DNA sequence: GACGATATGTATAACGTTCTACGTATAACG
DNA sequence: CGTTATACGTAGAACGTTATACATATCGTC
């Protein structure tokens, strides 16, 4: 067994492969990149050496000059039950193209989000997928000029620098109201987040728009009622209690998220309010908890896995060179359970 | 404004900083690394240039020769509700030392786990934190010889090449049985996973050991009963139904995970089995779902955040050069709710 | 001032891969 | 056979940072 040319730390490098196959380093690189200018014979020889030696390219070295075949995912938080499906869907697609994703958790903090995106740029990731980012559209665009970007959970169809892939949140509000109206409900309220500081890129604002439109279309413009709950997890139950104990309990409540809907269910039960007889409840996200038979929450399903798949495909096409923006909306579905 | 020396793509590089500060590239590098051999005056000058220019080191270039100040986390799956707290705790500690974590999801698949760890090595991450890996201790040790490693959810106190940080799973079984016994329960069964293919590194095997020991200590050796549920999510409910419909329903059931416990609660309710009067139920993990008032599951709390913090600290000390192994156990706590 | 010890700052190669320029071989055509 | 076009493979620089060797400056002592 001949002496092998190894990198520092005893690692098999492209030089090891070149020596084993009896070709130049540049030839091995061409084979790895599927670049023009190597014969089939040389290619076969090199691939055999790569196999035999168990060579893996150094991602760090690739980042100096070429592609790393990695994608960053920045998630707003880890505990959100909607996100695993998105990530799984994205990873399915990425894996077919030999890409790996690396996830950073932004904790809904601008500073952290910024630091993560910048670290991904510094690591020379080929692209980034943001899920429910807190950065503004302008800030997103600035980073998108530095690396390919796709955003989920941010509605900005006029954005040029990055793509968006979303569930159609207006439609989610609409189909929920339509279904409740078809059951005879007239007093349909919506539980959302504070209006202050929000814009129409936010998913809950889009859901409100759909709710309002459908109520109007059903001739229920006078019954439009949007209640606002503070976002802090600890404050949600207090705000929901206010809604449940208020003077005019609606016959149905559409909540912008499952978390709120589940808390509402809980509060209603403890007050002896019959669900769905006295109060029908619909959430949003169709999280696994919603499906527990002890919960039985009706909920709008956004098709997280499909979202992830489409977003990853869109990102790969950006990485491949496309610069014309794409803004996609996928149809949500209302999943009915006992709460409605 | 003078011409600035910029890297490819218009990026501020170490050369830009050196030129701006009027010093050599190597001096700037020494400042960045806090290395010996630069004066305070030069240091101040360089740091001002770094600030003014908004210089960020290229992580890829750092990976060629030095440290990247990044840590990989490989998680068994994304949807596990126990994991967000671990990651949050780890990230808190890592952030104080200017490290970023990047998460890969192994989906409980050996091939994927392997590929992720290798990609983290290729990216020259400074260390890796594995959460409930499926790789064997031997395989873990092989990778741990290539980069610093800490493992959570894998009990191997004799391992030399990597560290472990775990909740004391035996103790979790023990305190549960003790509490049930103190309430007068004698027929206490445990719901666990299949014995085939498992070893004592697995958390559920450790919980079984604690269960068995505490039953014996309470003079209930004859009442030891470990039921086994297949791991596939879809099969859990069928296996639990078998347990609920069996000839001898115990008076209490200790489940190795909240998922199983919640399904058991659901099954018991649908059969009219009064919880906790006819059947007391205790889960493991104290997940957010367990705490929902509509669920009210008593559960063993592992202190995920604390686990993450300790694990990150342990990893940083490994990265800092320590090679003597550390194996830490944190005490779990039984959280009581309506199910018991 | 001379000498020795220590601190400081620079020059330069290394790290592993990609990109590009270009020399040479090969094939096709007249 | 000579000419032209194309394919193939190599040499070497680039990428941005770190690590190390070493020249020179500075400080303390005699």
């Amino acid at each position: 067994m001949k002496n092998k040319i190894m990198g520092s730390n005893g690692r098999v490098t492209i030089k090891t492969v070149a020596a084993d196959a009896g070709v130049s380093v540049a030839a091995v690189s061409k084979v790895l990149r599927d670049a023009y200018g190597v014969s089939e014979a040389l290619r076969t020889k090199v691939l055999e050496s790569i196999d035999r030696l168990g060579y893996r390219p150094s991602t760090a070295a690739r980042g100096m000059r070429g592609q790393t075949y990695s994608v960053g995912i920045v998630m707003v938080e880890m505990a959100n039950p909607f996100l695993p499906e998105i990530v799984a869907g994205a990873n399915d697609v990425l894996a077919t193209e030999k890409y790996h994703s690396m996830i950073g958790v932004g904790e809904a903090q601008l500073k952290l989000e910024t630091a993560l995106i910048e670290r991904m740029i510094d690591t020379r990731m080929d692209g980034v997928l943001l899920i429910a980012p807190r950065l503004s559209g302008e800030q997103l665009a600035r980073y998108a000029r530095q690396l390919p970007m796709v955003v989920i959970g941010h509605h900005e169809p006029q954005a040029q620098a990055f793509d968006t892939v979303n569930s159609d949140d207006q439609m989610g509000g609409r189909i929920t109201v339509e279904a409740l109206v078809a059951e005879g409900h007239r007093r349909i309220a919506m539980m959302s987040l504070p209006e202050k500081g929000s814009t129409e890129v936010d998913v809950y604002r889009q859901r409100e728009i759909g709710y309002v439109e459908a109520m109007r279309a059903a001739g229920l413009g006078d019954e439009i009622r949007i209640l606002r709950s503070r976002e802090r997890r600890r404050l949600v139950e207090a705000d929901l209690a206010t809604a449940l104990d208020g003077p005019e309990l609606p016959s149905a409540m559409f909540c912008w998220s499952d978390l709120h809907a589940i808390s509402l269910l809980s509060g209603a039960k403890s007050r002896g309010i019959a669900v769905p007889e006295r109060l029908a409840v619909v959430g949003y996200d169709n999280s696994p908890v919603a499906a527990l038979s002890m919960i039985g929450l009706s909920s709008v399903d956004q098709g997280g896995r499909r979202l992830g798949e489409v977003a990853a495909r869109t990102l790969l096409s950006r990485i491949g060179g496309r610069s014309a923006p794409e803004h996609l909306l996928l149809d949500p579905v209302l999943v009915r359970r006992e709460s409605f």
Side-chain angles (χ1 to χ4, degrees), chain A:
Chain A
M1 173 154 292
K2 294 186 298 183
N3 265 352
K4 288 187 192 163
I5 300 164
M6 304 295 269
S8 62
N9 207 22
R11 184 182 174 98
V12 175
T13 71
I14 201 168
K15 286 180 186 169
T16 324
V17 175
D20 187 79
V23 300
S24 74
V25 157
V28 178
S29 177
K30 278 185 174 177
V31 171
L32 288 172
R33 290 177 284 126
D34 221 19
Y36 176 79
V38 287
S39 64
E40 202 55 40
L42 185 142
R43 177 188 173 77
T44 300
K45 200 165 33 167
V46 168
L47 290 176
E48 282 172 0
S49 289
I50 286 171
D51 249 26
R52 184 186 314 125
L53 296 171
Y55 165 73
R56 295 191 324 262
S58 159
T59 306
R62 277 185 158 180
M64 296 297 290
R65 204 68 199 277
Q67 285 192 248
T68 57
Y69 298 94
S70 58
V71 158
I73 299 181
V74 179
M75 302 198 313
V76 61
E77 60 174 357
M78 272 219 49
N80 186 323
F82 175 50
L83 305 186
E85 285 297 310
I86 298 187
V87 172
N91 280 340
D92 286 346
V93 170
L94 293 172
T96 63
E97 301 292 327
K98 306 294 167 65
Y99 277 77
H100 275 94
S101 74
M102 293 288 177
I103 301 168
V105 185
E107 304 290 358
Q109 292 178 32
L110 288 179
K111 255 186 143 171
L112 200 37
E113 255 180 45
T114 297
L116 281 170
I117 294 170
E118 288 177 351
R119 181 53 77 91
M120 289 171 180
I121 291 169
D122 300 341
T123 308
R124 296 304 307 268
M125 289 187 177
D126 298 327
V128 75
L129 174 58
L130 307 182
I131 310 184
R134 290 298 156 88
L135 293 176
S136 70
E138 246 183 58
Q139 290 166 319
L140 293 178
R142 210 167 59 235
Y143 286 122
R145 289 191 197 103
Q146 296 177 54
L147 90 167
M149 181 187 287
V150 173
V151 189
I152 296 180
H154 173 97
H155 291 270
E156 194 173 336
Q158 66 280 4
Q160 295 291 313
F162 56 90
D163 305 322
T164 59
V165 177
N166 291 292
S167 180
D168 187 338
D169 287 299
Q170 290 185 18
M171 182 175 165
R174 208 156 51 238
I175 57 175
T176 299
V177 170
E178 284 164 6
L180 288 166
V181 168
E183 289 282 319
H185 291 278
R186 293 293 176 265
R187 310 204 23 226
I188 302 165
M190 180 179 178
M191 177 65 63
S192 192
L193 292 177
E195 196 168 17
K196 179 169 176 157
S198 75
T199 72
E200 294 197 355
V201 305
D202 298 313
V203 291
Y204 68 91
R205 288 294 300 279
Q206 292 290 310
R207 292 168 198 174
E208 287 172 25
I209 290 168
Y211 159 78
V212 169
E213 284 182 2
M215 289 294 277
R216 288 207 176 115
L220 300 175
D222 290 343
E223 298 288 346
I224 291 173
R225 253 202 329 153
I226 300 184
L227 313 181
R228 309 247 171 222
S229 156
R230 287 162 287 182
E231 197 171 14
R232 291 272 303 269
R233 199 152 282 214
R234 243 166 310 204
L235 304 174
V236 171
E237 282 198 11
D239 291 338
L240 292 173
T242 302
L244 286 174
D245 299 333
E248 300 200 316
L249 186 66
S251 72
M253 185 82 85
F254 166 50
C255 298
W256 90 278
S257 82
D258 277 356
L259 174 84
H260 286 72
I262 289 166
S263 287
L264 191 69
L265 279 190
S266 187
K269 183 177 174 181
S270 68
R271 285 165 175 74
I273 299 174
V275 174
E277 294 86 0
R278 177 61 191 86
L279 175 69
V281 182
V282 181
Y284 214 107
D285 284 338
N286 194 29
S287 56
V289 183
L292 290 178
S293 50
M294 292 175 72
I295 307 278
L297 174 67
S298 298
S299 185
V300 178
D301 184 287
Q302 301 193 58
R305 198 168 197 108
R306 183 101 195 293
L307 270 179
E309 288 169 4
V310 173
R313 240 175 251 124
T314 307
L315 184 58
L316 288 176
S317 104
R318 267 258 175 194
I319 291 169
R322 172 180 56 81
S323 54
E326 285 183 12
H327 299 286
L328 308 174
L329 286 181
L330 308 191
D331 289 357
V333 174
L334 177 59
V335 176
R336 294 178 176 218
R337 294 195 186 94
E338 288 87 353
S339 71
F340 162 46

